[in-house]
Amino acid sequence: MRLNDILDTVGEYAKNADLDVIMRAYVFSAKAHAGQTRKSGEPYLTHPLAVAGILSEWKMDVDTIATGLLHDTMEDCLVTQEEIFSLFGDEVAELVDGVTKIGKLEFRSKEEAQAENFRKMVLAMGKDIRVILVKLADRLHNMRTMQHMRSDRQKAISQETLDIFAPIANRLGLSKVKQELEDLCFQYLHDDVFSELTRKLNDGASDRDQYIKDTSQTLQAELAKNSLASEITGRSKHLFSVYRKMLAQNLEFEQVHDLLAFRIFVDDLGSCYTALGLIHAKYRHFPDKLKDYVAHPKSNGYQSLHTVVMGPQGQQIEIQIRTRKMHAIAENGIAAHWRYKEGHLALSKDDIQKVTRLRELFEAAREVEDPAEFLETVKVDLFAAEAFAFTPRGDVKFFPLGATALDFAYSIHSEVGNRCTGVRVNGRMVPLRYALTSGDTVEILTRDDQRPNRDWLSIAKTGRALSRIRREIREDERSKGREIGQNLLEAELQKYGATLRKLIRNGEIKAVARENGFRRSEEVYLAIAQGRLTALAVCRQLLPANVFEKASENPGAITQLFQKIRRRTESPVLINGVEDVMVSYAQCCRPVPGETVTGYVTRGHGISVHLSNCNQMLALDPERRVPVQWHGAHQGRHSGEVRIICTDTMGMLAEIGAVCKTTGINVTRMTAGQIEDNKAEIILEVSILDIRELQNLMRLCERIKGVIAVERVRSHAQN
Ligand code: MN
């Protein structure tokens, strides 16, 4: 960037502008920075010159561009504000002072609430928004030229940029700047992922280019057929947004479908909707991804229609529809509003402040002392685009819309998520599935013995929470499986007078595990519980063959005695009534807690619990039968079905209903029909905790006048 380029650029958008101030600022800066070099070895002056160049691309006024040239003179060269004031006037002096103050701020502390960071920033930039624009241009150029820095500095600066400056660029509607900053930060923070994504994107680049070309033409022709003039561009989405999507939805690169985004430019607002209608008529769209920022502009002024459709060749593509004017605002944010009167950049401070709601932010910052209160005032404005919520300490967390309180818990820490028992939002208890609303303050309650369960998979929405929950559930199931398998093996060993403890001690178990291709003994137990190995087969590997011959002949007196003493461990598997991956309840006999049951180790699907006299189970391999016992404190609800044969129907339904009501049993279904001899059959399906509840209900039904018989219905598959 040379001074002449800047002067040419400014001269183009601001005819008759006072270029003299820019030239004087250049000379002053060159003198102040004389002899200084950047890390790259270049003269330091290249930096302020580049910053001024960026500001001229944003069509800034001459004072701001002069500030770009001067922005590092106070910090680095001991130039005073008075000097700048006397040479360039109070506006430039104030701007330079503002930029210098921001430069001295420390934003990096993770512990410090983000609210406080923003507050400091806003206070430092004073009442003039141009300060932050110069700071953004400064940061952008520094990020572009960071190659020569130490890697830890690169990372620290990138993190700060991602946390503070990219959101501010976004807030000002400078979307191009925001994207470039994000991609640069991404490159330094996640070097390896960045190069991998770049490579993968480049791999398919020529195919994608062809697709973009073809599709643009197709879309344009489609609109032209309906006499709608348009211009269409297509591009791959920027890297960081692809990466963010992968993180948020827990996707691999290959699973990100809408890599391509198309923009349709039309002449006027009405045509935006016409174009949308025509596109939707031609291609299937995803209604939940349709966004109307034309009717409801974002708080930074952004306007556009967004839709995602199944485009040509079944490719998922994003389409944005907007007018040229909307586009200018989308690209350059507030800079698109700059006004030039009579050839001069007539930019009063008021003009700029009117452009965004940031003015409210500034005023709030000056009046409010307490950071929390400050945030209360500005938070909705600052982060209007996304859902965000606060920890009780005031740290802000961002979420995709629709995220729940449980997602919030996992965003703090996986362990906080795993142990989450309740959530208080703005002081009130809410269920875990509570959908976060921007501005909520969320407090997570935890208990050490809490564990994630399968229901949570339908509650959490963020990829982070879902993957953590899945991992925990899998781990819980495996550890439960190992425990069950170990008990099964122990019970089997007892039959032959052997104990597991001894076999573990002398390394036999480990050897058998290796023989079966497992690295650890625990995996043998899991395989037994899952039915991939039977306990007997493992015993045969563990014990000498003669043990089995003796046992099958005639159990000796000692073995029998052993078995009697160890009777209590005859029920190695305790079941608590809830279905899970290791234990399920057989549909053929539908046992409920309290009934005498036997387990059957299925192949690969854990233990299926049957009634001990279930004919279906008795017909299966006896070696796979295992003793099971109801846990004293069973917790699950079971569905029980009862058939009632009676004389009258109508009155009977009412009476049965009344009986259920007095017992507090929940009826899930009741059907009635005529059978032979003027009798009626009523089928009652109820939700019960155990057999006693069901028997009690059946007894009460039997007492009803007109009831002939009451019996349980065991299987749906009967008759
Ligand atoms: Mn600088």
Side-chain angles (χ1 to χ4, degrees):
M1 184 64 65
R2 295 173 313 142
L3 179 66
N4 277 342
D5 299 331
I6 295 172
L7 296 175
D8 287 351
T9 311
V10 178
E12 258 168 49
Y13 63 79
K15 305 228 164 17
N16 309 326
D18 175 19
L19 298 177
D20 179 54
V21 66
I22 296 179
M23 288 188 277
R24 285 190 289 118
Y26 173 78
V27 173
F28 185 87
S29 181
K31 274 190 197 153
H33 292 296
Q36 293 177 349
T37 54
R38 304 195 85 209
K39 280 247 157 46
S40 60
E42 293 171 291
Y44 194 87
L45 187 66
T46 56
H47 169 63
L49 204 48
V51 171
I54 292 171
L55 290 165
S56 74
E57 284 164 22
W58 296 351
K59 299 191 167 61
M60 297 301 300
D61 64 311
V62 288
D63 283 345
T64 310
I65 292 168
T67 304
L69 286 162
L70 299 169
H71 79 274
D72 277 332
T73 55
M74 272 170 65
E75 176 71 9
D76 300 345
C77 316
L78 306 173
V79 171
T80 63
Q81 197 180 353
E82 288 72 46
E83 250 178 291
I84 294 181
F85 172 78
S86 65
L87 287 166
F88 301 98
D90 60 344
E91 278 205 16
V92 175
E94 259 180 50
L95 288 171
V96 175
D97 183 51
V99 179
T100 308
K101 275 186 187 148
I102 292 180
K104 286 178 180 159
L105 293 181
E106 278 285 339
F107 296 113
R108 247 158 272 131
S109 140
K110 282 240 164 167
E111 274 56 51
E112 200 167 22
Q114 207 170 352
E116 180 59 16
N117 278 342
F118 272 106
R119 181 165 173 273
K120 276 199 220 163
M121 166 76 94
V122 166
L123 283 171
M125 70 184 155
K127 54 190 188 299
D128 199 327
I129 195 175
R130 289 176 293 180
V131 170
I132 193 61
L133 290 166
V134 177
K135 189 64 204 169
L136 277 174
D138 176 39
R139 181 53 61 106
L140 182 59
H141 184 246
N142 284 335
M143 287 294 301
R144 281 176 182 170
T145 53
M146 228 170 24
Q147 309 88 312
H148 302 282
M149 287 213 174
R150 279 206 327 265
S151 146
D152 58 328
R153 288 291 297 149
Q154 288 174 343
K155 285 199 163 52
I157 292 172
S158 296
Q159 194 61 55
E160 181 186 283
T161 304
L162 205 55
D163 289 345
I164 309 280
F165 292 98
I168 286 184
N170 183 47
R171 189 62 194 75
L172 295 174
L174 294 161
S175 62
K176 270 205 316 210
V177 176
K178 174 201 152 218
Q179 286 180 11
E180 186 178 349
L181 286 176
E182 284 179 344
D183 276 351
L184 286 164
C185 294
F186 180 29
Q187 179 182 341
Y188 287 111
L189 288 173
H190 306 284
D191 183 19
D192 42 344
V193 191
F194 180 84
S195 27
E196 194 192 328
L197 279 191
T198 310
R199 187 176 51 72
K200 285 183 173 169
L201 263 180
N202 285 342
D203 273 354
S206 66
D207 285 351
R208 266 199 301 277
D209 285 348
Q210 190 58 46
Y211 182 85
I212 287 171
K213 216 172 123 195
D214 295 347
T215 302
S216 300
Q217 281 170 4
T218 312
L219 292 175
Q220 196 170 29
E222 190 61 31
L223 299 182
K225 251 198 306 194
N226 295 278
S227 343
L228 196 68
S230 66
E231 197 179 315
I232 299 183
T233 64
R235 72 201 154 86
S236 294
K237 290 191 175 167
H238 82 284
L239 273 178
F240 188 72
S241 76
V242 173
Y243 177 62
R244 191 156 42 195
K245 182 163 189 171
M246 287 166 60
L247 280 189
Q249 302 180 18
N250 203 15
L251 301 173
E252 297 293 321
F253 174 79
E254 289 72 19
Q255 294 170 300
V256 179
H257 293 303
D258 46 350
L259 276 182
L260 299 179
F262 290 83
R263 278 195 191 126
I264 300 181
F265 301 106
V266 291
D267 293 334
D268 52 66
L269 191 145
S271 303
C272 292
Y273 291 101
T274 313
L276 183 74
L278 291 170
I279 299 288
H280 282 184
K282 175 91 178 163
Y283 303 105
R284 192 164 71 77
H285 76 287
F286 299 83
D288 57 319
K289 298 206 173 135
L290 177 61
K291 305 246 163 60
D292 184 352
Y293 296 120
V294 171
H296 308 282
K298 287 191 189 179
S299 54
N300 60 21
Y302 179 89
Q303 282 190 298
S304 197
L305 296 175
H306 290 193
T307 186
V308 175
V309 301
M310 276 306 210
Q313 299 164 35
Q315 272 249 39
Q316 201 169 310
I317 54 175
E318 186 186 309
I319 297 180
Q320 303 175 346
I321 306 170
R322 52 176 76 157
T323 65
R324 283 275 167 209
K325 195 175 161 213
M326 292 174 193
H327 182 61
I329 294 170
E331 291 282 286
N332 298 315
I334 56 167
H337 296 271
W338 286 178
R339 295 276 176 275
Y340 309 96
K341 284 178 197 152
E342 296 151 12
H344 290 276
L345 280 163
L347 208 53
S348 72
K349 286 173 194 168
D350 276 354
D351 275 344
I352 305 159
Q353 287 168 346
K354 272 180 201 151
V355 183
T356 73
R357 284 186 225 157
L358 273 184
R359 188 183 59 179
E360 293 155 32
L361 207 65
F362 302 160
E363 283 163 4
R366 260 190 295 281
E367 285 162 16
V368 182
E369 282 298 316
D370 174 23
E373 202 182 317
F374 159 75
L375 201 61
E376 199 60 43
T377 330
V378 304
K379 58 193 180 186
V380 179
D381 261 335
L382 203 50
F383 308 115
E386 295 167 281
F388 62 91
F390 298 91
T391 67
R393 289 172 49 218
D395 290 320
V396 64
K397 304 261 173 198
F398 294 89
F399 299 92
L401 291 173
T404 61
L406 187 58
D407 291 304
F408 188 94
Y410 275 96
S411 78
I412 295 176
H413 194 278
S414 341
E415 280 312 296
V416 174
N418 291 337
R419 313 236 174 279
C420 171
T421 52
V423 184
R424 205 176 281 144
V425 170
N426 305 326
R428 211 175 298 152
M429 289 302 295
V430 299
L432 295 185
R433 61 172 68 253
Y434 171 88
L436 297 171
T437 306
S438 282
D440 283 345
T441 296
V442 185
E443 188 186 342
I444 304 294
L445 311 177
T446 60
R447 212 178 49 214
D448 278 352
D449 60 351
Q450 172 73 328
R451 303 294 296 152
N453 62 55
R454 297 208 151 260
D455 290 346
W456 287 18
L457 291 172
S458 67
I459 295 176
K461 301 286 177 251
T462 57
R464 179 189 164 90
L466 286 169
S467 68
R468 300 292 194 286
I469 294 168
R470 275 195 207 99
R471 195 175 64 194
E472 287 302 310
I473 290 177
R474 208 161 41 229
E475 197 31 63
D476 279 359
E477 284 168 0
R478 291 174 69 88
S479 84
K480 187 176 175 199
R482 284 192 289 265
E483 192 188 314
I484 289 175
Q486 185 172 348
N487 288 339
L488 292 176
L489 182 59
E490 228 167 327
E492 191 68 25
L493 285 168
Q494 261 174 39
K495 292 185 191 165
Y496 312 106
T499 66
L500 185 60
R501 198 138 51 100
K502 215 161 135 194
L503 293 162
I504 293 175
R505 219 181 13 228
N506 65 20
E508 300 273 357
I509 289 282
K510 224 177 204 147
V512 166
R514 263 199 299 274
E515 251 173 74
N516 290 285
F518 298 124
R519 263 182 305 180
R520 300 181 342 180
S521 344
E522 285 78 22
E523 293 179 66
V524 175
Y525 308 147
L526 183 61
I528 292 173
Q530 289 175 335
R532 288 181 284 131
L533 286 173
T534 63
L536 180 61
V538 176
C539 282
R540 284 188 192 282
Q541 289 179 290
L542 284 166
L543 304 174
N546 58 0
V547 169
F548 298 93
E549 286 155 23
K550 270 189 244 161
S552 66
E553 276 165 20
N554 193 9
I558 302 237
T559 319
Q560 281 182 343
L561 186 65
F562 246 115
Q563 283 180 5
K564 242 179 217 158
I565 295 167
R566 298 279 175 89
R567 184 113 266 164
R568 53 183 183 86
T569 52
E570 270 269 289
S571 283
V573 181
L574 285 178
I575 48 181
N576 69 7
V578 187
E579 298 231 356
D580 63 36
V581 159
M582 292 312 305
V583 177
S584 61
Y585 297 92
Q587 277 305 304
C588 51
C589 52
R590 302 166 82 194
V592 298
E595 294 185 289
T596 311
V597 284
T598 298
Y600 182 82
V601 184
T602 62
R603 282 176 204 279
H605 299 290
I607 296 171
S608 172
V609 177
H610 293 257
L611 285 178
S612 292
N613 58 4
C614 169
N615 286 328
Q616 290 218 23
M617 187 266 298
L618 290 172
L620 298 169
D621 181 2
E623 268 191 21
R624 287 179 170 267
R625 269 177 232 158
V626 293
V628 292
Q629 208 172 59
W630 296 103
H631 196 289
H634 43 256
Q635 355 174 302
R637 294 218 147 254
H638 290 251
S639 113
E641 217 169 300
V642 174
R643 180 190 289 117
I644 301 167
I645 309 294
C646 52
T647 47
D648 164 36
T649 327
M650 289 318 292
M652 201 61 69
L653 285 174
E655 285 213 47
I656 292 169
V659 164
C660 291
K661 205 164 177 197
T662 58
T663 55
I665 288 175
N666 191 23
V667 179
T668 49
R669 191 166 59 94
M670 192 169 359
T671 59
Q674 289 288 317
I675 51 173
E676 81 283 6
D677 303 336
N678 286 337
K679 284 181 204 152
E681 178 197 68
I682 295 170
I683 303 282
L684 188 61
E685 194 185 88
V686 289
S687 162
I688 45 162
L689 208 53
D690 59 23
I691 189 68
R692 276 189 319 214
E693 272 190 357
L694 190 64
Q695 282 168 344
N696 184 34
L697 176 68
M698 289 169 71
R699 249 196 321 275
L700 290 172
C701 287
E702 275 167 1
R703 289 188 202 150
I704 299 170
K705 213 176 139 232
V707 167
I708 300 162
V710 180
E711 58 183 20
R712 271 193 72 184
V713 183
R714 280 294 178 184
S715 167
H716 288 296
Q718 264 184 356
N719 69 343

